[in-house]
Amino acid sequence: MDNTKEQVLQAYRFRHACKEFDPDRKISEADFAYILETGRLSPSSFGFEPWQFVVLQNADMRAKLLPVTWGAQKTLPTASHFLLILSRRPSELMPDSEYIASISAQVQELPQEVAAKKKEMYHRFLESDFALLGNDRAMFEWGCRQAYIALGNMMTSAAMIGIDSCPIEGFDKEQVERILEEEGILDRSRLGVACMAAFGYRVREPRAKTRRPVEQVVTWVN
Ligand SMILES: Cc1cc2nc3c(=O)[nH]c(=O)nc-3n(C[C@H](O)[C@H](O)[C@H](O)COP(=O)(O)O)c2cc1C
């Protein structure tokens, strides 16, 4: 067990926001499938999996995004695998939407009466607990929060097998979504871009990690 803990911590120390990848080193198909699988298996509120993953390997498409993706100037062209993490828009997250109905029935295989109860609870959650109903931006961002859990899991699972990554929010969301829609990659009525992530192998060692000490981060109430 101690050995496992040390391995996990080593992965957390190994992971850093990699700024440039070795363009000649590609992640194997099996390794990238493993990374995606840890995203797919991630938890989400009510289990609604609001995310979609787009693996952007097309060089022309990457070049089109480069001018509006300032936070990935060296990673977008060099990443072995470049991921767009999408999240569902409110139209798809409303309790009455086809998407929610299909998740409950086909994915979670809930009996009809259980699905109906869950829908009621979900409606209450959206309406009063988190007060998201009627605020499209807040509801989209709520979906994005789940997508970031998948992002975190994928970066950690990559690090566990010696693969580098960089999470990316450095982009003009409006422009990126416009380009992706023009190219037929994104249906903006249903989905939006939550964030991006680049994966590959580092070209150089990063500077030493800096973090606030644990006493500043954690408060215990005993
Ligand atoms: C949500 C998110 C968005 C980020 N966006 C970018 C980005 O666009 N470009 C970049 O080079 N780094 C980006 N970073 C990396 C952070 O700057 C980095 O994680 C932080 O400085 C801590 O360093 P470390 O990850 O190397 O430990 C992002 C990190 C997160 C979590």
Side-chain angles (χ1 to χ4, degrees):
M1 197 51 109
D2 280 352
N3 197 21
T4 306
K5 284 195 279 189
E6 196 39 52
Q7 278 176 359
V8 172
L9 282 175
Q10 258 175 23
Y12 276 84
R13 292 187 195 110
F14 170 88
R15 190 218 56 79
H16 68 291
C18 185
K19 302 296 178 194
E20 185 176 355
F21 299 100
D22 181 343
D24 299 324
R25 282 190 75 189
K26 296 290 167 226
I27 299 170
S28 74
E29 217 174 285
D31 283 355
F32 201 69
Y34 146 86
I35 293 169
L36 288 174
E37 185 64 351
T38 65
R40 189 181 76 94
L41 291 173
S42 296
S44 57
S45 189
F46 290 89
F48 287 150
E49 308 174 34
W51 50 70
Q52 287 292 129
F53 307 139
V54 176
V55 189
L56 196 71
Q57 299 305 78
N58 181 285
D60 291 342
M61 266 316 302
R62 288 196 192 182
K64 280 196 175 126
L65 290 183
L66 197 60
V68 291
T69 313
W70 57 265
Q73 287 301 294
K74 289 196 175 148
T75 48
L76 190 50
T78 60
S80 164
H81 289 69
F82 196 88
L83 202 58
L84 307 172
I85 302 184
L86 311 181
S87 187
R88 294 200 139 67
R89 297 237 185 251
S91 60
E92 299 250 292
L93 293 175
M94 291 300 279
D96 281 323
S97 71
E98 259 177 48
Y99 177 73
I100 296 297
S102 78
I103 286 273
S104 295
Q106 273 99 54
V107 180
Q108 298 176 343
E109 299 180 359
L110 300 178
Q112 240 177 6
E113 63 282 6
V114 178
K117 275 250 148 36
K118 183 168 178 176
K119 193 166 125 180
E120 258 175 51
M121 270 178 62
Y122 178 47
H123 190 277
R124 212 168 36 243
F125 168 82
L126 291 176
E127 190 172 47
S128 57
D129 294 338
F130 266 44
L132 297 170
L133 276 191
N135 186 337
D136 281 5
R137 177 68 192 249
M139 203 155 156
F140 175 68
E141 299 292 347
W142 174 71
C144 291
R145 291 212 289 275
Q146 338 278 319
Y148 277 63
I149 299 173
L151 165 74
N153 286 342
M154 288 190 276
M155 292 192 299
T156 303
S157 66
M160 294 283 305
I161 58 167
I163 292 175
D164 291 301
S165 63
C166 187
I168 296 150
E169 275 185 339
F171 58 91
D172 181 327
K173 203 176 267 204
E174 176 59 33
Q175 296 295 335
V176 165
E177 290 190 356
R178 188 185 51 74
I179 293 167
L180 293 175
E181 183 151 68
E182 272 171 19
E183 297 293 329
I185 296 167
L186 175 71
D187 173 357
R188 291 177 90 183
S189 68
R190 297 173 43 239
L191 295 154
V193 178
C195 58
M196 305 174 179
F199 295 88
Y201 295 95
R202 65 188 72 183
V203 278
R204 68 186 73 85
E205 288 308 308
R207 64 186 281 252
K209 203 173 268 311
T210 58
R211 286 296 187 272
R212 290 181 295 148
V214 65
E215 313 79 61
Q216 281 181 25
V217 177
V218 182
T219 307
W220 286 74
V221 180
N222 292 315

